[in-house]
Amino acid sequence: MDKSSSQADEEEIQALEEEIRLLTEEYEDVLQESTFFPDEEMLESIKSFQGETQGEATGHESLSDLKAELESLERDLSFLTAFTGFHFTSHSKKTVERTKNGILQKHRLSGKCHSMSFQLEFQLLEMPNNEEVSAVVSDLSIVMESREDSNMSKFVSRIEECGDLQTFFTSLSTYAEWYEHRRHTFLHFKAKYPDIVALPEGVLGDFLILRNPKVSGFELMIVWKIHLDEEGTTTPVLDLLPKVPEQVMEQRMTTVESIPGCFRSVLRLFGIEAAIESLIKVLGSEK
């Protein structure tokens, strides 16, 4: 066998070894792949599983035990969704690198918290440390529909820099809960007092207008901001801005100026809904 033929054989062997290595890694990634499917696909999988296990429980758990365990898991999932507001629609991970020091994986995650959708992409380095495993998040990217909110945008930017996913999920849960509460409150008052309450920016806006149809030009704007600082603390901030015709302002200057302060006092004493309700009733009684 000449030298050139031997070299060609050696190169072919090396190519085959490299192909085997790549296929092995790909196979391991498939085994580790973790995906959450939409509810419809999950239900189909459950039905298929139930059909396959029918009459095959000999020597294992009975079918009734498996069904009870499945129902228990479904209740736990339903409770967690209701408690946190989170509903994850998809998740995938892929191994990027394996070393003796740890495993680097790339994750993609999407879902909703109440009515707010989000998408995450990040790398997770898992390193064994004695009997524990430490994890480091890097290359975090967050896409959210509400990033036009300057407070949310600053908070997300900080989270992307530090990779603090725990703070992100905890703060998002509280923020989205207030966001949903404001939307429901605006819907409630618009439906109950359609002639008085106006929502110029719809239910997703951050203010509503109160008008007395019998008093032209007189308006009260209730501004409801949801403040989220860079540390993840969420605070609802409400204020009242009156718009009063000039002739009324001249006659009742003291009364008009006291309205915002009175509204804040009622807020502290009775809460948001009661404060808005009382304001609407007073406005509706004006002739």
Side-chain angles (χ1 to χ4, degrees), residues 123-173:
Q123 292 193 152
L124 185 68
L125 176 61
E126 295 182 339
M127 299 173 290
N129 183 14
N130 296 327
E131 296 182 357
E132 298 181 351
V133 176
S134 60
V136 178
V137 175
S138 62
D139 295 341
L140 175 60
S141 175
I142 302 174
V143 177
M144 292 194 63
E145 61 183 9
S146 61
R147 281 198 72 165
E148 64 270 13
D149 182 332
S150 60
N151 291 320
M152 174 61 76
S153 182
K154 291 178 182 177
F155 167 70
V156 169
S157 295
R158 193 189 73 82
I159 293 297
E160 288 177 330
E161 290 177 4
C162 65
D164 188 353
L165 287 176
Q166 182 176 352
T167 297
F168 171 75
F169 286 117
T170 302
S171 300
L172 178 60
S173 178

Side-chain angles (χ1 to χ4, degrees), residues 87-105:
H87 173 64
F88 297 102
T89 54
S90 68
H91 170 241
S92 65
K93 66 180 179 181
K94 182 178 181 180
T95 300
V96 176
E97 183 180 5
R98 293 174 179 272
T99 67
K100 62 181 180 180
N101 297 323
I103 301 175
L104 180 64
Q105 294 177 326

Side-chain angles (χ1 to χ4, degrees), residues 85 113-116 172-190 199 202-206 208 224-226 234-238 267 270-276:
C113 185
H114 295 289
S115 61
M116 300 182 66
L172 178 60
S173 178
T174 306
Y175 182 90
E177 187 174 1
W178 274 110
Y179 189 90
E180 194 71 6
H181 179 51
R182 180 178 65 184
R183 186 176 73 86
H184 281 296
T185 302
F186 284 2
L187 273 173
H188 166 73
F189 285 115
K190 178 59 180 174
L199 300 172
V203 295
L204 299 182
D206 56 13
L208 57 79
W224 184 346
K225 299 285 187 180
I226 304 173
T234 303
T235 309
V237 180
L238 285 88
L267 272 175
F270 301 107
I272 296 173
E273 290 81 2
I276 296 176

Side-chain angles (χ1 to χ4, degrees), residues 224-277:
W224 184 346
K225 299 285 187 180
I226 304 173
H227 182 72
L228 177 67
D229 65 22
E230 294 184 19
E231 301 304 316
T233 302
T234 303
T235 309
V237 180
L238 285 88
D239 207 352
L240 180 66
L241 305 175
K243 177 184 176 183
V244 184
E246 187 174 344
Q247 62 272 23
V248 176
M249 179 69 79
E250 293 174 354
Q251 297 172 5
R252 301 184 180 181
M253 173 68 76
T254 304
T255 302
V256 171
E257 289 180 343
S258 67
I259 292 177
C262 293
F263 177 70
R264 286 190 287 270
S265 297
V266 177
L267 272 175
R268 288 192 295 269
L269 290 173
F270 301 107
I272 296 173
E273 290 81 2
I276 296 176
E277 182 88 33

